[in-house]
Amino acid sequence: MEVMPKWADVVLIPLFSLLIAFALSALVIIGIGEDPIAAVKMMVSGAVGSTYGWGYTLYYATNFIFTGLAVAVAFHARMFNIGGEGQAALGGLGVALVCLSVDWPHWAIALPVAVAGAAVFGALWAALPAYLQAKRGSHIVITTIMFNFIGAALLNYLLVNVMRPAGSMDPATGKFPPGTFLPTLHDILATIGIPFSKAAPANVSFLIAVAACVLVWLLIWRTRLGYAIRAYGHSESAAVYAGISPTRIIMIAMLISGALAGMMAINNVMGEAERLVLNSVEGAGFIGIAVALMGRSHPFGVFLAAILFGFLYQGGAELALFTDIPRELIVVIQALVILFTGALDNMVRMPLEKLFLALRKRDA
Amino acid sequence: MDFLTVLQVLDSTVRLATPLLLACLAGLFSERAGIFDIGLEGKMLAAAFMSAAIAAVSGSVWLGLLAGIGASLLLSAIHGLASITFRGNQLISGVAINFLAAGLTVVVAQDWFQQGGRTPSLIGGGRFAPIDLPLAKSLQDVPVLGPIYHDLISGHTILVYLAIALVPLSWWALFRTRFGLRLRAVGENPAAVDTAGVSVIGLRYAAVAICGVLCGIAGAYLATALQAGFVKDMTAGRGYIALAALIFAKWRPWYALSATLLFGFLQAIALRYQNIDLGGIVVPVQFMDALPYILTVVILAGFVGKAIPPRAGGEPYVKER
């Protein structure tokens, strides 16, 4: 029996969880002797108070949309893909290989190939953990964690020993050719006469991320495959009884998940850095977990949560710049969001369910 | 490689394996009771910070150790609350704890010491001193055995010996006591334990608390014995390597000792040699870094022996009504 109406489940619980997480974060800020209200004001003006701030907020949000969708798709098949970090790093390798392979004449030609390269490499990095889960029963969480470290070591090796241009001390690839430079939001909005900060890194990848949200929604709720994924996620035995192959669903869901995480690289590697550097993902793969949990694994929710985390990231950078609050405060907030929307979900849910039950009894 | 180099590498193996061993045994107790814990990393990190901070302020490493254990226990309590009381997802809770520790340690360290997220360097009584075992000096000149005794076995901090002593102790507690039997049963079939009239929740909290204490010692070892003070992210994935060692060890104490010694050895090699030349084939240092994880994946894949986790691991226990 549904104790609560759907809107309460989708809106009220994440909202309460978020409020608790923010309240505790405010306590942390007070604890280190800073003013939380001033901090929030500074974050708002820094992250959304100018087109420069928006440009960074949307840039970060683009990363988080991809990694959030990756975790969300896996969640629908009841897989916990904690390997977004490694898959995104490998996606970066795919993008770098594509961008450095030929002298691309125009970004519009390079971009689809780069997207494919990122997706294939990301999916490949998810393939072995998925196979081991499907065929050998190894826990996907453990194998994807291991693959994060293996991926980091692999990229470290490639960047230091193989892909580094001769004579360069920096463990990074050479600069991509100009034909791969993606148009920024400044360039795109200028064509329709809207002024936008030129310095901010938000680029056309944001639109691709939005398109990915729509496609994931279509896949999960409007296709036969999506139905099979959700059916498997709800009950493996029921899915098997209905003729759905668990191996197939695990593989497909994880490949899609890995591909989405990998596609993040068109934003940070191709759109921003324009070369592949060490540790290019910077934890975005893990933030995807918080984003997916908060967005209740729904693409629209993921979109909103990603924007929120983009805001927190950019606002947090401003805080670190102008106050004594270190940037790691964002990691604390991220942890609290994961804790309350994920692990302590029942703590928020149980009192609310009691409340709704009481209300219903009174009505009856 | 001469004899002395071998000894040095083995000596550093022991020192690097110790935090892994402590964290691995911590995970062992927790997972044997059916509570997955990927928050080992976070608990070690929090303990490393608190132990270094308190040791730096008070000048006493023992107070630091206690504070470290306290910090780790606090995170354990959160994990227990989320995964036992509120029956939440244990993996997600572990992820949250790792981030909580990664963030809070730097935020608080910056506030307390203003040194860019580190603690002051520990000196004198703020660190665990190496212990010279009896006769180590006088036996040093005995061929072969003398140097082994002096360089390898003697001269570690008390926590190293404690960690090694904990291996038989854990084995005894888990496999030769009533508590251990119940603890293992709760990880395999909690309903049976409940039927026998023993509290599933109590046992699981006890396991999580033991896990907290051991992670606390591991973290304190990192900051007050292996190194002199806390630096940002100083656990550097050791919690995950311990997790890998736990799988490698198939959730058994003695195997845990060999697994963590093996992984410690890999770390010691990677630390000492950048690239290893094996007759024409150069093994890059990055491969050595990745080897513990690769080995674990191989074990997990079940091609070399099979690692079977406790059956009720990761599942919250719901009493039937």
Side-chain angles (χ1 to χ4, degrees):
Chain A
M1 187 187 72
E2 294 285 325
V3 183
M4 286 191 296
K6 194 152 171 58
W7 64 268
D9 186 54
V10 175
V11 179
L12 219 51
I13 289 180
L15 206 64
F16 269 98
S17 308
L18 202 62
L19 281 178
I20 298 173
F22 281 168
L24 286 174
S25 310
L27 283 181
V28 171
I29 297 180
I30 294 172
I32 60 172
E34 297 277 339
D35 178 3
I37 295 171
V40 169
K41 273 186 188 156
M42 184 174 282
M43 285 177 84
V44 169
S45 74
V48 293
S50 63
T51 60
Y52 175 80
W54 269 108
Y56 268 96
T57 299
L58 291 180
Y59 164 73
Y60 290 126
T62 308
N63 288 341
F64 305 154
I65 291 174
F66 281 122
T67 54
L69 285 176
V71 178
V73 168
F75 267 154
H76 278 292
R78 219 196 296 156
M79 300 275 129
F80 186 15
N81 178 13
I82 198 168
E85 194 76 6
Q87 290 143 19
L90 264 285
L93 180 63
V95 165
L97 289 177
V98 166
C99 288
L100 293 169
S101 61
V102 281
D103 196 9
W104 294 95
H106 192 266
W107 66 266
I109 307 166
L111 183 59
V113 187
V115 168
V120 166
F121 272 69
L124 270 180
W125 211 242
L128 197 55
Y131 176 81
L132 292 178
Q133 166 83 53
K135 284 289 183 191
R136 318 284 309 189
S138 335
H139 204 298
I140 195 96
V141 171
I142 303 293
T143 41
T144 47
I145 289 178
M146 300 299 141
F147 267 70
N148 281 342
F149 286 102
I150 300 172
L154 176 67
L155 273 163
N156 191 332
Y157 171 73
L158 288 176
L159 287 176
V160 172
N161 298 30
V162 183
M163 297 179 83
R164 183 164 52 112
S168 162
M169 290 303 288
D170 202 12
T173 66
K175 189 94 172 158
F176 295 164
T180 63
F181 293 177
L182 297 179
T184 60
L185 283 191
H186 166 81
D187 302 330
I188 297 168
L189 290 174
T191 55
I192 48 172
I194 300 172
F196 196 85
S197 166
K198 203 173 174 174
N203 57 69
V204 67
S205 309
F206 175 68
L207 303 178
I208 295 178
V210 173
C213 284
V214 177
L215 287 178
V216 167
W217 179 79
L218 281 174
L219 168 80
I220 298 290
W221 276 283
R222 287 294 179 274
T223 66
R224 189 182 288 248
L225 174 65
Y227 181 80
I229 290 176
R230 282 183 293 135
Y232 175 78
H234 278 292
S235 163
E236 181 174 348
S237 53
V240 170
Y241 191 66
I244 295 168
S245 152
T247 308
R248 187 169 160 267
I249 295 301
I250 292 173
M251 287 304 292
I252 292 179
M254 279 304 290
L255 287 179
I256 295 172
S257 178
L260 283 165
M263 278 164 68
M264 180 195 124
I266 58 165
N267 187 45
N268 68 333
V269 176
M270 193 177 182
E272 203 258 343
E274 291 166 351
R275 63 188 188 137
L276 183 60
V277 297
L278 219 52
N279 188 21
S280 60
V281 187
E282 292 181 317
F286 292 120
I287 294 175
I289 300 166
V291 167
L293 285 170
M294 231 188 90
R296 285 290 182 266
S297 299
H298 190 287
F300 186 64
V302 166
F303 175 79
L304 290 181
I307 300 278
L308 177 77
F309 268 91
F311 160 79
L312 287 175
Y313 239 63
Q314 171 55 14
E318 292 283 313
L319 279 186
L321 212 55
F322 297 112
T323 68
D324 286 335
I325 304 175
R327 213 177 163 161
E328 277 74 13
L329 181 71
I330 304 307
V331 182
V332 177
I333 299 179
Q334 174 194 344
L336 292 170
V337 168
I338 295 178
L339 191 63
F340 285 103
T341 56
L344 287 172
D345 186 64
N346 276 334
M347 192 176 97
V348 184
R349 185 179 296 269
M350 282 171 179
L352 274 177
E353 281 185 347
K354 275 200 186 119
L355 183 74
F356 273 98
L357 267 181
L359 284 177
R360 189 182 297 172
K361 269 199 193 120
R362 211 183 52 188
D363 288 345
Chain B
M1 250 200 298
D2 58 286
F3 182 56
L4 210 64
T5 321
V6 173
L7 273 189
Q8 280 171 359
V9 169
L10 290 180
D11 180 56
S12 112
T13 297
V14 172
R15 276 185 280 122
L16 289 167
T18 299
L20 300 180
L21 177 60
L22 287 164
C24 188
L25 290 174
L28 180 71
F29 275 98
S30 184
E31 302 211 347
R32 274 287 185 171
I35 304 291
F36 279 158
D37 196 349
I38 55 177
L40 299 175
E41 175 91 358
K43 279 185 275 217
M44 278 166 81
L45 192 64
F49 167 68
M50 274 312 275
S51 61
I54 297 301
V57 172
S58 71
S60 158
V61 68
W62 291 101
L63 282 180
L65 176 66
L66 278 183
I69 292 175
S72 174
L73 271 175
L74 197 66
L75 290 182
S76 272
I78 295 177
H79 191 52
L81 196 69
S83 50
I84 305 169
T85 305
F86 287 110
R87 301 196 291 267
N89 187 320
Q90 301 168 5
L91 301 164
I92 294 174
S93 167
V95 171
I97 283 169
N98 286 340
F99 285 122
L100 198 59
L104 269 183
T105 49
V106 178
V107 170
V108 177
Q110 178 60 21
D111 181 47
W112 286 359
F113 301 106
Q114 274 99 29
Q115 295 188 2
R118 53 168 67 218
T119 61
S121 285
L122 299 175
I123 40 162
R127 280 190 81 190
F128 279 104
I131 298 172
D132 279 320
L133 293 184
L135 299 178
K137 274 272 182 288
S138 46
L139 290 176
Q140 199 179 356
D141 297 327
V142 178
V144 185
L145 289 179
I148 288 183
Y149 185 64
H150 179 265
D151 292 349
L152 183 60
I153 298 175
S154 169
H156 293 289
T157 58
I158 178 104
L159 295 184
V160 173
Y161 301 112
L162 174 70
I164 291 168
L166 277 170
V167 175
L169 201 66
S170 300
W171 173 82
W172 178 78
L174 278 172
F175 294 95
R176 287 293 180 274
T177 67
R178 185 186 299 190
F179 171 74
L181 178 68
R182 287 174 173 171
L183 191 119
R184 284 181 293 129
V186 109
E188 298 288 338
N189 189 347
V193 178
D194 202 15
T195 312
V198 181
S199 164
V200 173
I201 289 176
L203 273 168
R204 287 194 162 170
Y205 265 108
V208 167
I210 295 172
C211 172
V213 171
L214 292 176
C215 276
I217 302 174
Y221 173 81
L222 278 181
T224 61
L226 193 64
Q227 287 165 35
F230 172 86
V231 290
K232 182 183 163 183
D233 283 331
M234 78 178 303
T235 41
R238 283 191 174 88
Y240 296 110
I241 297 188
L243 210 58
L246 182 58
I247 295 160
F248 214 74
K250 301 175 184 175
W251 294 269
R252 289 186 170 90
W254 284 107
Y255 287 22
L257 178 63
S258 23
T260 48
L261 280 176
L262 171 67
F263 290 175
F265 177 67
L266 292 177
Q267 286 189 339
I269 294 277
L271 212 64
R272 191 175 172 99
Y273 305 99
Q274 276 304 296
N275 296 307
I276 301 152
D277 198 343
L278 288 178
I281 307 162
V282 176
V283 181
V285 63
Q286 292 90 350
F287 181 74
M288 301 295 296
D289 289 338
L291 203 51
Y293 308 110
I294 296 173
L295 287 175
T296 305
V297 171
V298 172
I299 287 285
L300 271 173
F303 298 121
V304 188
K306 189 137 180 70
I308 302 163
R311 198 181 305 155
E315 282 166 26
Y317 177 62
V318 186
K319 212 186 247 262
E320 282 175 78
R321 299 201 179 92

